[in-house]
Amino acid sequence: MKTIGIYLLMLSNISIAEVLRVGVPTPGQIPFFWQDKAGEYQGIYPDTLRLIANDLKFNLSFEPLSQERLRRYFEIGEIDIEMGVSANIDDRPQIKKVSLFTRSFSVVNEVIIYRPELSFPVFILKDLAGQRVATVRGNTVPDSLIREDFTNQWQIAQRVHRGWNNIGLMKEAVALYYQREENLNYETSLPYASNPVSFRVNSKIKDKLADMNASIDRLDKQGVLEELVCKYLCGPTIQKNE
């Protein structure tokens, strides 16, 4: 009977554990987030959130959604958390009304990639005035650039590698990942912009915000967050299909 009682208590604890729904835009973006063959989410953002969830004793349910559907679901309270969002994002009023942001847990650097044979130093955007630049469709870039839009950063990396574009704008972590893992040939500039990223928290769970911030503080002071980022950017090849 004692064994049965312990088992029922365990089931009770599992059943009452709080589950927070995390919206994940599709497709993924290595090394920030992606879904492996087993359907599990990997990357800097989900791993950071798992550390926080483990610290605060709540569970996570990762929900793959298009970016537009993710926003709609967040607005109506069907999504509790969105990963890797800048608190300065210019969003529509409906989602702003229900959005709170944790303190930043990481920084995303924006860089210029360019063909190695280019003879001028490409480090700041004003150097590119009047030049044709490969960008991700929808991203904001200075009006002085002649933009050529593509669907994703993988296309940009490949085009610069193949010489179809001389210059492209990308996130530093993604540029370095493709350069290392896919053996692509291009140079990467110093960051021309740096954007702190946070977790967007739905106002319906605003009581979690202070605890999440305290958890991020603890993990940061312990050096855990830095180690996690280095796992993806400093270590051996990322296993995408585990």
Side-chain angles (χ1 to χ4, degrees), residues 97-151:
K97 287 195 300 186
V98 295
S99 294
L100 301 171
F101 296 90
T102 66
R103 57 150 286 189
S104 62
F105 64 89
S106 188
V107 174
V108 173
N109 293 321
E110 304 287 344
V111 297
I112 303 160
I113 65 169
Y114 55 96
R115 296 289 301 162
E117 63 269 20
L118 291 182
S119 58
F120 58 92
V122 185
F123 291 124
I124 53 179
L125 286 182
K126 70 178 184 180
D127 293 334
L128 305 181
Q131 298 199 49
R132 188 169 59 92
V133 178
T135 62
V136 175
R137 185 174 294 108
N139 284 5
T140 302
V141 301
D143 293 336
S144 60
L145 306 183
I146 303 171
R147 63 184 299 158
E148 186 173 0
D149 287 343
F150 297 97
T151 303

